[in-house]
Amino acid sequence: MSSSQVPLSAHDQLREAARDAWLYALPLIEIAMTRASRAGFGGEINTFSHARNLANHKMRAVTTPNNDTLYTSAQIDLSAGPVTITLPAAGERYLSLALMDAYTNNFAILGTRTTGPDGGTFRLVGPTEAAEGPNVVRAPTNHVWALARILVDGPADLEAARAIQSGFSMQGPPAPQSQAHARRSAPWNEYFASVDALMVANPPPATDLALLRKVSALGLGAGEFAPDNFTAEEAAAIEAGVAEARVAVRRGGGGANWIDGWFYPRADLGNFGQSYAYRAGVALAGLAALPPVEAMYMRGRGERGGIYDGLRSWRLHFPADRMPAVDSFWSLSLYEATADGQFFFADNPLDRYAIGDRTEGLTYNDDGSLDVWIGHQRPDETRVSNWLPAPPAGFALFMRAYLPKPALLDGSYRLPPVTLLDET
């Protein structure tokens, strides 16, 4: 028998179960924390709330926000019955309403790409609700996060975008406000107690049964989690497994896929199937990410752990015939990283958090190519129009490409590398 076939001890089995269960359940915890918030993307259940301004450095409700779209959000509880959702007509403006289950899977996206420019009314039903009539969308879980993105085409377009945003509406039965749950930083007993309750409210799909059997020793999902039943030795094994999970989630669970200095999303982003570690990593660093067919997110590799040195000057050069391949819009966003692996906009002298194809005053070169200048030090005045200011302590870069063309989806188009200015 090889070493890899040696049966694990009971201690190691429990440690692995705790590690896998912590990662499996992190999306439940992250969405529950968002749902319970009275600001940002939380609020009254079964009611749309609107962020009337674009996100800036003060917005810390959810990791890696964009600065291109207005957000409209609703936390939905279908346990008391279905809700009716009305989407406004958006015409040629990009609009999407992502419907995410309690495990962060996008089970439906309504809007520009799928339902067209004219809006419509849809009936959202729970996993066991009888469904009849037109435009029915079935949710896999009773808890649903509905998150809309409405494109703003520059400052002068803000009021028009707000008018469309106001066209979202929802009708449904009253639902109780969400209870507070443990955060990801909580001790294992508090964390898994919340996980147990959330799994009762949102039973996992049958396709997760293999993982659930593997972690069954923890007693999760039936509302009977009893941390006091574990011995001191067993509790130590669980705690060790959780510690491993906290390290593992920072690695993202996605594997290496770097091409010309950019990390490209996996095909299962946003609808994760059984990729539990990857799903957990996205819940931590990119909660509410859309699937690639709707939007592609590419992260710059940086110098250390995905972080670029803000005190150095960087350049991203697009040849005239190699602009990002999109049917809607693209945007390069810059973030500062927190100690626990999340990303938020950084305060800067231009109040500029992203540069993209709609940036006002963007200057193209005589040959039609485009240079984006990135760094903390203000560049020559001829370059300020294309400058993306960075904090000196370091930054992360994320490229968003909404409604990517087939060339981007199939990999025949690749982003150019970000280079040091003194290397160009």
Side-chain angles (χ1 to χ4, degrees):
M1 180 180 292
S2 70
S3 60
S4 63
Q5 296 174 312
V6 174
L8 294 175
S9 67
H11 179 281
D12 286 340
Q13 289 179 14
L14 193 56
R15 174 181 53 78
E16 287 198 358
R19 179 197 64 205
D20 293 347
W22 193 94
L23 291 169
Y24 175 84
L26 183 62
L28 279 170
I29 292 292
E30 292 300 304
I31 281 197
M33 184 176 67
T34 303
R35 185 168 57 248
S37 170
R38 294 297 178 263
F41 296 102
E44 186 177 349
I45 302 299
N46 292 354
T47 302
F48 277 121
S49 60
H50 307 296
R52 295 296 193 178
N53 295 297
L54 296 174
N56 59 22
H57 64 282
K58 298 179 181 178
M59 191 274 206
R60 303 269 160 155
V62 67
T63 185
T64 54
N66 78 56
N67 182 246
D68 308 290
T69 71
L70 295 178
Y71 286 111
T72 284
S73 176
Q75 299 292 342
I76 302 170
D77 186 344
L78 298 171
S79 61
V83 302
T84 299
I85 297 173
T86 298
L87 259 65
E92 296 183 358
R93 181 189 305 273
Y94 174 82
L95 178 148
S96 65
L97 178 69
L99 299 174
M100 292 167 280
D101 67 20
Y103 297 85
T104 68
N105 293 297
N106 289 263
F107 62 88
I109 298 176
L110 311 176
T112 301
R113 180 180 60 87
T114 58
T115 57
D118 298 327
T121 299
F122 304 84
R123 186 166 177 255
L124 180 63
V125 303
T128 61
E129 185 81 21
E132 297 180 356
N135 297 344
V136 171
V137 180
R138 182 174 296 283
T141 58
N142 280 319
H143 290 162
V144 173
W145 183 10
L147 183 60
R149 297 164 171 92
I150 306 103
L151 180 62
V152 179
D153 193 13
D157 186 47
L158 183 57
E159 288 303 323
R162 287 171 174 167
I164 290 175
Q165 184 184 38
S166 296
F168 281 91
S169 68
M170 182 178 298
Q171 297 78 41
Q177 288 299 302
S178 295
Q179 297 180 350
H181 287 285
R183 294 174 175 263
R184 62 178 174 275
S185 58
W188 68 269
N189 56 325
E190 296 176 15
Y191 181 91
F192 285 129
S194 285
V195 168
D196 186 39
L198 290 166
M199 289 176 66
V200 170
N202 301 282
T207 47
D208 288 351
L209 188 56
L211 183 282
L212 297 174
R213 284 172 172 163
K214 184 178 179 181
V215 305
S216 60
L218 294 169
L220 300 173
E224 300 174 354
F225 177 67
D228 292 341
N229 289 348
F230 294 103
T231 67
E233 183 180 11
E234 290 170 336
I238 295 171
E239 192 168 3
V242 168
E244 288 184 12
R246 294 186 196 280
V247 173
V249 75
R250 295 289 299 274
R251 296 196 292 265
N257 190 24
W258 298 102
I259 301 173
D260 290 336
W262 292 95
F263 181 84
Y264 286 80
R266 289 172 30 162
D268 54 356
L269 174 66
N271 198 2
F272 300 93
Q274 283 64 58
S275 298
Y276 308 123
Y278 180 49
R279 186 177 72 181
V282 173
L284 175 66
L287 185 65
L290 293 164
V293 68
E294 189 73 23
M296 286 187 68
Y297 310 91
M298 285 71 68
R299 181 180 177 182
R301 186 165 194 169
E303 298 173 291
R304 58 188 190 283
I307 302 298
Y308 295 85
D309 185 346
L311 293 177
R312 308 179 82 179
S313 296
W314 304 85
R315 177 198 189 207
L316 178 58
H317 175 77
F318 291 102
D321 61 348
R322 298 295 291 172
M323 297 295 171
V326 296
D327 281 326
S328 188
F329 69 95
W330 65 266
S331 176
L332 178 70
S333 296
L334 186 150
Y335 302 94
E336 58 184 356
T338 65
D340 60 353
Q342 297 196 305
F343 301 95
F344 300 103
F345 291 130
D347 193 11
N348 67 83
L350 297 186
D351 291 331
R352 176 180 286 168
Y353 309 101
I355 278 185
D357 53 5
R358 298 157 298 104
T359 298
E360 188 174 4
L362 201 63
T363 301
Y364 289 78
N365 301 318
D366 291 342
D367 62 358
S369 64
L370 176 66
D371 288 306
V372 178
W373 311 103
I374 310 161
H376 180 66
Q377 184 175 351
R378 185 183 183 94
D380 181 274
E381 286 304 311
T382 61
R383 295 177 173 179
V384 169
S385 62
N386 294 17
W387 177 37
L388 192 53
F395 62 92
L397 288 175
F398 286 79
M399 172 67 77
R400 288 177 170 83
Y402 279 78
L403 303 188
K405 291 183 177 181
L408 185 51
L409 286 167
D410 67 23
S412 55
Y413 172 87
R414 297 297 186 185
L415 294 170
V418 177
T419 58
L420 276 169
L421 188 54
D422 56 11
E423 293 181 358
T424 60

